[in-house]
Amino acid sequence: MLVRPTIGAVGNLFDHHIHSDRSDGTVTLADRAKSVQIRPHGVSDHYPWRDKMRNDDDVLRYLEDASRLGLRVGLEFDLGVAEPLRPTTRESLHYVIGALHQVELAPGEWIRFDDAGAFLKGRVKTFSDADRFRDPDLAQRIRERTLEVIRVGIERDQIDILGHATMGPLTALGDPESAYPPEWQERLIRMCVEAGVAIELNEAYGVPHRELLERAQALGARFSVGSDTHFELRPLDRTDAMIRAAGLPVDRFLQGRRVRTGSAPG
């Protein structure tokens, strides 16, 4: 029997996507270790990140420091950019979130998601490049390249969670159900389901949209909560609304460790 969310049920779900000052967050690992008393969460800083998270050795130091404080430890692996981790490094982590922040459509032709992300977060009131991304040919290239990059993340990098899957300029146009046709959504979802990769409900960007989540549930997907906070913990209001709108069963959500393959530290 499926367990349906009740009032405040999201507060009992594990928040996998939280940053610290080991990448671009403002909160120390020590303070993150204290905030688990507010709600269960791990840490998952960006990889790679400038001079702080450059390689496996940096990741292992991060893992050791955070684990010593009692935290579950993941990474936000920058799909299409990050170099592969050593298998032993990946298996030492509790989970790996794969996320796109840009796509390279052709050598040197990058589509950056920063402006769209700022709009989806509410930091700016308009998406200034909207007209550019209404071009159907460009939109199709972005969709196809997105699937290619995610497939590499699933097959080569063995990610456990797909983070903010539809964050980007197409969603920022305002109608994600048109920007991402149902056939494309099903291709994405089936990749995740077949590999046991969870689909993240991202609080910061408010993605994915309801129809994608409903399709994912119908196809047997797992899910993950991700506040994606870089600051103090805040209520998961958007996530709670997404769970309710799509009627997602809470027993399909990850709880702080991978379920794909291998084992995570206890």
Side-chain angles (χ1 to χ4, degrees):
M1 177 178 169
L2 295 179
V3 179
R4 297 290 174 177
T6 57
I7 297 297
V10 69
N12 297 320
L13 294 174
F14 192 94
D15 185 350
H16 297 78
H17 196 157
I18 288 190
H19 296 278
S20 78
D21 62 1
R22 296 296 279 266
S23 61
D24 60 344
T26 61
V27 180
T28 66
L29 288 176
D31 284 334
R32 288 297 188 212
K34 296 174 184 175
S35 62
V36 296
Q37 299 174 34
I38 299 172
R39 67 170 179 260
H41 70 75
V43 287
S44 52
D45 278 292
H46 289 283
Y47 175 77
W49 189 258
R50 297 172 189 163
D51 59 339
K52 296 181 179 181
M53 298 280 271
R54 301 159 297 183
N55 51 39
D56 282 72
D57 291 341
D58 288 344
V59 171
L60 291 173
R61 280 190 290 272
Y62 168 67
L63 173 64
E64 180 180 0
D65 293 345
S67 295
R68 190 184 302 120
L69 293 164
L71 287 161
R72 296 277 176 94
V73 189
L75 281 182
E76 184 177 6
F77 189 94
D78 197 348
L79 296 175
V81 173
E83 293 296 319
L85 294 166
R86 293 192 294 262
T88 52
T89 302
R90 177 199 170 269
E91 289 303 318
S92 296
L93 295 159
H94 288 96
Y95 54 88
V96 176
I97 302 169
L100 281 88
H101 302 91
Q102 61 277 305
V103 290
E104 188 178 24
L105 299 182
E109 184 186 356
W110 287 93
I111 301 293
R112 312 288 181 183
F113 293 179
D114 294 349
D115 291 345
F119 174 70
L120 292 170
K121 283 184 174 181
R123 291 180 177 172
V124 296
K125 294 183 178 180
T126 59
F127 178 41
S128 59
D129 279 345
D131 287 342
R132 175 189 179 195
F133 292 102
R134 290 193 180 98
D135 174 25
D137 292 334
L138 177 59
Q140 178 65 8
R141 293 176 69 203
I142 291 171
R143 285 192 293 265
E144 291 304 311
R145 183 58 181 151
T146 294
L147 291 180
E148 291 171 1
V149 173
I150 291 172
R151 185 177 297 281
V152 172
I154 290 173
E155 295 178 353
R156 184 195 71 181
D157 301 308
Q158 295 287 293
I159 65 171
D160 303 289
I161 298 167
L162 177 59
H164 50 68
T166 56
M167 186 278 285
L170 302 187
T171 293
L173 296 178
D175 185 3
E177 185 67 3
S178 296
Y180 295 100
E183 179 271 339
W184 183 93
Q185 294 178 41
E186 291 187 7
R187 290 167 64 194
L188 173 71
I189 293 163
R190 290 186 189 280
M191 275 201 299
C192 293
V193 170
E194 289 169 6
V197 170
I199 296 172
E200 178 186 83
L201 280 69
N202 187 280
E203 175 75 18
Y205 298 109
V207 297
H209 63 290
R210 176 179 56 80
E211 291 88 349
L212 189 152
L213 293 174
E214 290 174 342
R215 291 186 178 98
Q217 179 184 338
L219 291 170
R222 295 182 181 275
F223 301 98
S224 170
V225 169
S227 62
D228 203 355
T229 183
H230 295 69
F231 310 100
E232 72 278 2
L233 292 192
R234 295 168 183 165
L236 294 168
D237 295 336
R238 295 173 96 176
T239 302
D240 192 50
M242 286 190 281
I243 290 174
R244 294 175 192 285
L248 303 182
V250 297
D251 61 354
R252 297 300 296 170
F253 281 77
L254 299 192
Q255 288 293 336
R257 62 177 67 246
R258 64 171 49 102
V259 297
R260 278 195 71 181
T261 58
S263 58

